[in-house]
Amino acid sequence: MSTTTVTPTAPADPPADEKTPRRTSRRRGEGSPLARVTSHGVLITASLIALFPVAWLVFLSLGPDKDDYLRPGGIWGKMTLDNYTFVLQNTNFFDWLKSSLIVSLGTTVIGVLVAATTGYAVSRMRFPGYKKFMWVLLVTQMFPVAVLMVPMYQILSDLQLIDSYLGLILVYCSTAVPYCAWLMKGYFDTIPFEIDEAGRVDGLTPIGTFARLILPLAKPGLAVAAFYSFITAFGEVAFATTFMLDDEKYTLAVGLQSFVSEHDAQRNLMAATAVLIAIPVSAFFYLVQKNLVTGLTAGGTKG
């Protein structure tokens, strides 16, 4: 009689997925949920802090009385647009707007043209003292407005440009061009030099190469320079107050001061005017905002 021995078989090993619990894989650079919530909370808080002054200004502009800023809670029950109507119909707002646009656009066109040619020359040409020249431009930004006021007034007086748009445009260009030249020089450094050589091979002059090949590639940098020049001229007060004598040639920033005198302060009208002043700047920002980030980042990569 034969006997058979049965050998017990060991149970099969479970799959690897059943041995260890699954771990949620996180992509490289991806933060934890807590980190994402914290970052979003910080960004939302920062956005609210940045928007609060603008919202508060708009809210005060809806109050009908000049002392409503002392009791802002009472504005809710009497909001009105009368302040805007008064500013548009009973002040020289449109004359101020015309002067601001003339000066700001003139500064933008002349300033960007000079800054672009200066930046291109320093980026591509190695003339004697080109490095010192850029440092001289930087040094001009170190002088405060109070120090420059008297010599600039004397120069404009000798040129008979006091109380003229051209004189104020030249003053603003002296402020905007040095920074914009540094900005454009940094941006032109990011454009390969081979493009210039290709233009010369095709028979273009240096000016033709600059205008037809380089400038189209430098649109982001030009947009940043244009925005900076426009903002510099549009919101400046000290030079405009000193060099513009005719009240019909006041810029918006100077006209805004007419609502505050020694014995009276019409805060409601000033708030409404400030909101109206922000509209042209916002419109100009909307036109160039697509190129602003690219121009700011690319201009700072090489110096």
Side-chain angles (χ1 to χ4, degrees):
M1 182 178 180
S2 61
T3 60
T4 58
T5 304
V6 179
T7 304
T9 59
D13 293 337
D17 293 341
E18 296 182 3
K19 283 184 178 181
T20 58
R22 293 184 178 181
R23 296 181 180 178
T24 57
S25 60
R26 188 181 304 163
R27 295 180 179 179
R28 187 176 182 180
E30 182 180 0
S32 64
L34 179 59
R36 290 198 299 269
V37 171
T38 303
S39 62
H40 281 78
V42 172
L43 292 175
I44 292 174
T45 302
S47 300
L48 292 177
I49 293 175
L51 291 175
F52 177 75
V54 180
W56 186 253
L57 182 66
V58 174
F59 178 67
L60 292 179
S61 69
L62 300 176
D65 300 327
K66 62 182 180 180
D67 295 328
D68 282 335
Y69 73 99
L70 298 175
R71 299 176 296 275
I75 297 178
W76 291 105
K78 52 181 181 179
M79 287 186 177
T80 180
L81 297 176
D82 291 344
N83 293 330
Y84 294 93
T85 304
F86 181 87
V87 170
L88 294 176
Q89 295 181 355
N90 298 285
T91 67
N92 294 329
F93 177 82
F94 290 103
D95 292 333
W96 303 338
L97 178 61
K98 180 190 71 174
S99 299
S100 293
L101 291 178
I102 292 174
V103 173
S104 300
L105 294 177
T107 302
T108 301
V109 173
I110 298 176
V112 171
L113 178 62
V114 175
T117 52
T118 302
Y120 180 75
V122 177
S123 175
R124 292 296 194 264
M125 304 174 185
R126 294 298 177 262
F127 52 89
Y130 73 97
K131 290 185 178 180
K132 295 181 180 180
F133 174 72
M134 293 303 292
W135 283 109
V136 169
L137 290 179
L138 187 62
V139 169
T140 61
Q141 301 290 288
M142 300 179 183
F143 295 96
V145 174
V147 175
L148 300 175
M149 195 77 68
V150 174
M152 283 189 173
Y153 190 94
Q154 184 63 45
I155 293 173
L156 293 181
S157 178
D158 294 339
L159 297 175
Q160 297 182 353
L161 292 177
I162 296 294
D163 197 26
S164 68
Y165 294 133
L166 179 59
L168 194 58
I169 289 173
L170 294 178
V171 169
Y172 289 153
C173 284
S174 67
T175 303
V177 166
Y179 170 79
C180 293
W182 269 94
L183 175 71
M184 295 307 303
K185 189 264 182 187
Y187 196 89
F188 287 137
D189 286 344
T190 64
I191 299 177
F193 188 74
E194 288 77 8
I195 295 179
D196 300 67
E197 295 178 346
R200 293 170 186 171
V201 170
D202 291 339
L204 293 176
T205 63
I207 296 178
T209 302
F210 172 69
R212 299 179 62 180
L213 299 180
I214 303 300
L215 284 185
L217 298 176
K219 284 183 179 180
L222 294 174
V224 178
F227 185 71
Y228 176 80
S229 301
F230 186 87
I231 293 297
T232 298
F234 198 83
E236 202 277 331
V237 178
F239 288 132
T241 304
T242 304
F243 301 142
M244 303 303 283
L245 308 178
D246 189 353
D247 56 356
E248 293 183 357
K249 292 184 179 179
Y250 283 170
T251 60
L252 284 169
V254 180
L256 189 64
Q257 294 182 331
S258 63
F259 296 108
V260 179
S261 62
E262 183 179 357
H263 304 288
D264 190 19
Q266 297 172 311
R267 307 283 183 182
N268 55 332
L269 299 179
M270 185 167 62
T273 307
V275 174
L276 293 173
I277 290 175
I279 295 176
V281 179
S282 302
F284 190 80
F285 174 79
Y286 178 78
L287 293 175
V288 301
Q289 55 91 20
K290 292 183 179 180
N291 296 317
L292 282 180
V293 175
T294 304
L296 286 172
T297 54
T301 55
K302 297 176 69 176

